[in-house]
Amino acid sequence: MNYRHVFHAGNHTEVFKHAALVFVLERLLAKPQPFAVLDTHAGVGLYDLGSAEAQKTREYEHGAARVFGRDLPSAPAYTRLLAALNPEGLKAYPGSPEIVRRMLRDHDRLVACELHPADVATLRRRYRGDPRVSVHHRDGYEAIGALSPPPERRGLVFIDPPYERTDEAERLAQALADGLRKWPNGIFLAWYPIKDRRIADTLAQAAVAGAFPKALRAEFLAYPRDDAALAGGGIIVCNTPWRLDDKLKALCGELAGLLGDGAATWRVDWLTAP
């Protein structure tokens, strides 16, 4: 509950993670039927990059600032969203709730869960006037079991925890297994940080052992891994949408020339059969 996302808003891991989120939302939008998104660790939705917190770390300068205003052929919807939010230059960065909200149609829904009391209050003020968005002050992992499957029977569970707890990877792996049992055809996208391999390997092993359906792993490391600093991030997607692997490969190839110090590495591979 002490993690404050604003210090890291728009960094190199966010560019990769949020472009991937947009890819999944685009696939859901390709069909006319309504869908729901459950965002388990929502934060405040929108981050002021001019705030004292963001200026203290300036992590966005090595992430969103390097793609903002560029033609990014691998992820045009993501860059268009950034541009629409910042018509006078990069001043704000959207968290996952804001990205989802901006892509919803009138009959789609977002359920945003957050435990931090101040962040919940901010979320409620921000989205009070939008009937498509509901904000819950509750544990996101618990919400997966309580709110899945949604009435729409189509949609996404987006899991982006702060990784403050030493057992976060195990909790996430169990949440994925439990969620897939309740909603076997739901799309689940879980993000993890990469400093060393422990979290990544724990989640990958769980996906294989649990035979998670159509489980895809994608990792983008802007910097060489040294087991201490944040080198990059990864995602595991279950019930992976069609051709998401190809889109992620194109994204990683393009980001490798924009993010990091010239030594970026990446991988996109299937953990269970597509």
Side-chain angles (χ1 to χ4, degrees):
M1 299 253 312
N2 294 319
Y3 178 85
R4 307 303 290 157
H5 189 89
V6 65
F7 290 103
H8 314 290
N11 71 11
H12 58 91
T13 70
E14 300 240 285
V15 172
F16 171 66
K17 167 178 60 183
H18 288 149
L21 171 61
V22 170
F23 291 159
V24 174
L25 293 170
E26 286 181 305
R27 292 304 306 166
L28 288 167
L29 289 163
K31 294 184 178 181
Q33 294 88 352
F35 65 84
V37 177
L38 172 60
D39 190 337
T40 63
H41 298 74
V44 302
L46 188 65
Y47 299 91
D48 177 7
L49 298 179
S51 68
E53 295 88 349
Q55 288 298 307
K56 182 177 181 178
T57 59
R58 303 182 74 90
E59 290 187 17
Y60 66 90
E61 292 183 346
H62 304 285
R66 294 196 180 184
V67 301
F68 180 75
R70 289 181 175 269
D71 178 23
L72 201 62
S74 64
Y78 170 72
T79 52
R80 284 197 302 268
L81 191 150
L82 283 183
L85 182 63
N86 293 281
E88 299 179 357
L90 185 61
K91 298 179 180 179
Y93 188 80
S96 51
E98 184 66 14
I99 291 172
V100 173
R101 188 192 70 83
R102 285 174 173 259
M103 296 185 70
L104 294 177
R105 300 164 299 191
D106 288 345
H107 58 302
D108 303 322
R109 291 189 305 121
L110 166 64
V111 179
C113 296
E114 177 56 48
L115 265 181
H116 197 290
D119 289 356
V120 169
T122 299
L123 275 177
R124 285 177 171 158
R125 287 194 300 271
R126 176 159 286 132
Y127 299 130
R128 183 175 293 131
D130 193 333
R132 303 169 303 171
V133 181
S134 59
V135 177
H136 292 225
H137 186 194
R138 71 193 304 174
D139 177 78
Y141 293 130
E142 179 270 333
I144 294 173
L147 303 178
S148 297
E152 294 85 352
R153 301 285 169 164
R154 293 184 70 231
L156 165 69
V157 176
F158 183 73
I159 311 172
D160 180 16
Y163 290 92
E164 289 185 305
R165 293 176 49 145
T166 57
D167 65 343
E168 195 77 61
E170 290 78 11
R171 293 185 76 208
L172 175 50
Q174 188 61 55
L176 284 171
D178 294 343
L180 285 163
R181 276 194 292 272
K182 289 205 66 179
W183 192 10
N185 64 338
I187 302 171
F188 287 74
L189 191 163
W191 177 85
Y192 55 89
I194 300 176
K195 295 181 180 180
D196 55 31
R197 292 300 310 174
R198 187 190 69 81
I199 294 173
D201 290 347
T202 296
L203 293 174
Q205 290 162 11
V208 173
F212 294 174
K214 293 196 296 183
L216 180 72
R217 169 177 57 189
E219 297 179 349
F220 181 84
L221 281 71
Y223 303 98
R225 184 169 57 84
D226 64 4
D227 297 346
L230 182 63
I235 58 172
I236 288 180
V237 188
C238 302
N239 288 315
T240 302
W242 183 60
R243 295 196 64 190
L244 181 62
D245 55 337
D246 293 334
K247 294 180 75 69
L248 289 170
K249 289 173 184 176
L251 173 68
C252 289
E254 194 166 6
L255 292 181
L258 297 173
L259 304 182
D261 54 9
T265 58
W266 56 274
R267 71 192 294 182
V268 177
D269 59 347
W270 291 96
L271 296 171
T272 58

